[in-house]
Amino acid sequence: AIEKRAGARRLFTPSRAIAFARFMEITPAAEAASDKPFSFSAADTARVAKKLSWHTGKAAWTFGTSFLLLVVPLIIQLHREEQMMALEQEQLSVLNSGGAAASSEPAK
């Protein structure tokens, strides 16, 4: 059995459960019953435009920073690798052409 300590309160009591159920009841708002159309004011439009531009700027900054940190070093490394492969290909062609020229000369 669980001992009750002095001063300890029970978190779940029937009266709290009833109060919570009443609190969570969904009641329709008075505005929902009216037939007037919903419209935005100029202030609402300006606020939405300001928030949209703010969040777009934050997203652009995040994308730009991530691109600089993740993609640019990859591009630089791929470019270096391409240069190394071109240099190795050039060295192979020089070695192959040098070996062919030496073997085509008559022996003395």
Side-chain angles (χ1 to χ4, degrees):
I2 300 175
E3 294 181 24
K4 287 187 178 182
R5 291 181 285 176
R9 293 179 18 189
R10 289 174 52 187
L11 296 176
F12 186 75
T13 62
S15 60
R16 284 188 182 172
I18 293 170
F20 183 73
R22 286 185 185 149
F23 174 74
M24 293 302 294
E25 282 183 17
I26 298 173
T27 57
E31 303 91 41
S34 68
D35 292 332
K36 66 180 181 176
F38 184 74
S39 64
F40 287 110
S41 68
D44 292 335
T45 305
R47 183 178 48 85
V48 168
K50 184 178 178 181
K51 280 188 173 186
L52 181 65
S53 65
W54 173 257
H55 289 294
T56 302
K58 284 174 61 175
W61 185 87
T62 302
F63 175 77
T65 304
S66 299
F67 183 80
L68 286 175
L69 292 175
L70 300 174
V71 178
V72 171
L74 178 66
I75 292 171
I76 291 171
Q77 187 62 33
L78 289 174
H79 184 68
R80 285 181 186 166
E81 190 71 26
E82 184 180 326
Q83 286 178 334
M84 287 298 296
M85 289 176 66
L87 180 64
E88 288 174 2
Q89 189 67 32
E90 183 181 337
Q91 288 174 348
L92 273 174
S93 66
V94 168
L95 286 175
N96 288 338
S97 66
S103 65
S104 65
E105 292 181 8
K108 293 185 183 180

